[in-house]
Amino acid sequence: MIEDETRVLSSVVSSQLAVHAKYGGVVPELASREHLRSIVPVVREAMEMAGVGFQDLDAVAATHGPGLAGALLVGLTYAKAISFAAGKPLITVNHIEGHIHAVIMEAAQKGTPVELPALAIIVSGGHTHMFEARAAGYVLLGRTRDDAAGEAFDKVAKLIGFGYPGGPVIDMLAPYGNPREIRFTMAKMKGNRLDFSFSGLKSAVLRWVESHDMTAEIAVRKALLREAPQPSLKQWLEVTPKATLDLVASFQRTVVEELLRHAEAATEQVEGVRSIVVSGGVACNSGLRAAVTEKSMGLPVHFPSPGLSTDNAVMIAAAAFPKFRRGEFADLSASAEPNLTLA
Ligand code: KG4
Ligand code: ZN
């Protein structure tokens, strides 16, 4: 729940990670079922924390895409119901624009507003996209042709027994390995050089794993996960040999360097670029934060705080605000659009 563009009245996030963890990734049917289970209590809690009733609202915002159809439908349908029952306008928001607005909102709160045009880099479990962000709209500069960056983290982590989601574990362990030990080569992209491909890297890691006998240590880590669903750093380090720490560090370095290389090339394409915005779950990655901040290409770099990096509703409300001011409302026929694009 937000007020006046930047004041967060409440933020409630219901995590489904525990539900999906046993399957090593998001199971669409379970995702919609969990959304359905959580939507009413989560909205109620957000309203109570903010101390407001439905009649106090100016508008209701919901994500209409991109994403899993079932999950989108739950949120959108509930938002429509509130909008209809309370007589408040409905605003539909693109999930990716939400990630960008999480950063715009926080930067404004800190008194260091994001200056446009910006290069916006969205890196999450579902997206690896770079946009030119201007007041008038967005231009897509490059995107992944296969796996998203977060998906690469998750798949590699799952492969070597670190569970799901793997990004945070790899991030935590990478500083203990040698990032230059293994040199993975990234394919040169044909066509748009700003596009990404992470599936080759995933296969390279798989080949490395197959040529080094890791079966026993992977079994030990899987056993640890069954005992302690969220092992501590110390617990992970006890069951992870140096060679695997090197693998993790080298993998993370390769992803970070790839993102950085693309970001650098992308800034050259945004005429008059004044800032860089990085958002999405992978924006939590400390290696990425350090590398982008250090490189920065002479521009101010804005990251969201960890709480607003991963999916949340505050970012959707923040992205709805400019639409609210423009009177850009949706009607009750608005539909979920799993493949919605931003540009
Ligand atoms: O934005 P998000 O919460 O959901 C999607 O829209 O996908 O992003 C989740 C993704 C997962 O793939 C997760 O492994 C990754 O973000 N992630 C990280 C880190 N924290 C979350 N990846 C690398 N390092 C992290 N610290
Ligand atoms: Zn997201």
Side-chain angles (χ1 to χ4, degrees):
M1 178 97 46
I2 73 168
E3 183 176 57
D4 294 339
E5 202 111 29
T6 53
R7 225 153 61 83
V8 179
L9 300 183
S10 62
S11 174
V12 180
V13 175
S14 157
S15 172
Q16 304 187 2
L17 290 179
V19 174
H20 301 291
K22 340 188 220 313
Y23 305 97
V26 174
V27 183
E29 287 78 5
L30 294 183
S32 16
R33 198 169 76 191
E34 288 304 307
H35 272 72
L36 203 53
R37 217 203 286 275
S38 311
I39 189 107
V40 173
V42 164
V43 171
R44 186 181 298 142
E45 193 182 335
M47 305 282 290
E48 277 168 11
M49 269 172 73
V52 301
F54 289 133
Q55 283 312 322
D56 304 316
L57 300 175
D58 289 311
V60 185
T63 307
H64 65 138
L68 295 170
L72 291 169
L73 272 173
V74 172
L76 186 59
T77 308
Y78 193 54
K80 281 183 190 175
I82 297 172
S83 157
F84 180 69
K88 305 293 177 181
L90 174 71
I91 301 171
T92 51
V93 173
N94 180 306
H95 179 81
I96 303 182
E97 191 170 18
H99 276 300
I100 297 174
H101 273 269
V103 183
I104 293 179
M105 183 191 80
E106 280 194 315
Q109 286 168 348
K110 289 184 205 144
T112 50
V114 171
E115 296 190 43
L116 300 178
L119 167 66
I121 306 170
I122 313 303
V123 271
S124 72
H127 312 279
T128 304
H129 286 63
M130 293 193 299
F131 293 97
E132 170 177 329
R134 295 185 177 270
Y138 302 89
V139 180
L140 179 68
L141 300 170
R143 55 173 295 172
T144 183
R145 299 216 185 135
D146 39 63
D147 293 348
E151 203 177 349
F153 271 95
D154 294 338
K155 286 178 175 171
V156 164
K158 184 180 173 189
L159 174 72
I160 54 181
F162 287 112
Y164 171 84
V169 183
I170 291 184
D171 189 6
M172 182 161 77
L173 294 177
Y176 296 87
N178 175 5
R180 310 242 156 237
E181 186 61 32
I182 309 166
R183 295 190 182 263
F184 295 112
T185 43
M186 298 295 287
K188 281 258 173 323
M189 296 306 284
K190 290 204 179 73
N192 182 1
R193 68 187 179 115
L194 295 183
D195 276 352
F196 296 90
S197 168
F198 287 108
S199 72
L201 175 60
K202 181 186 63 188
S203 311
V205 173
L206 176 64
R207 281 195 298 277
W208 195 92
V209 170
E210 282 169 352
S211 60
H212 294 73
D213 188 14
M214 291 176 68
T215 324
E217 58 165 296
I218 291 174
V220 171
R221 284 194 288 274
K222 286 190 173 163
L224 169 64
L225 270 173
R226 281 193 294 275
E227 260 170 55
Q230 280 193 318
S232 64
L233 170 62
K234 186 167 166 282
Q235 285 174 306
W236 278 131
L237 287 173
E238 279 163 9
V239 294
T240 310
K242 176 71 170 63
T244 305
L245 292 171
D246 291 344
L247 170 66
V248 161
S250 301
F251 163 77
Q252 177 167 301
R253 175 188 58 84
T254 309
V255 176
V256 168
E257 281 180 359
E258 188 68 359
L259 291 169
L260 211 59
R261 195 168 65 79
H262 282 67
E264 202 172 359
T267 52
E268 287 160 19
Q269 285 199 14
V270 182
E271 216 184 295
V273 62
R274 296 176 73 186
S275 60
I276 300 175
V277 166
V278 189
S279 195
V282 182
C284 289
N285 187 269
S286 22
L288 179 65
R289 284 185 180 239
V292 178
T293 308
E294 192 197 307
K295 191 94 179 184
S296 89
M297 283 117 347
L299 299 167
V301 184
H302 303 272
F303 280 95
S305 60
L308 283 187
S309 297
T310 47
D311 291 350
N312 64 86
V314 164
M315 71 186 199
I316 302 304
F321 241 95
K323 294 183 172 212
F324 177 71
R325 276 193 271 99
R326 292 196 297 264
E328 222 177 287
F329 301 129
D331 61 43
L332 296 180
S333 67
S335 55
E337 295 176 49
N339 300 316
L340 187 67
T341 54
L342 183 56

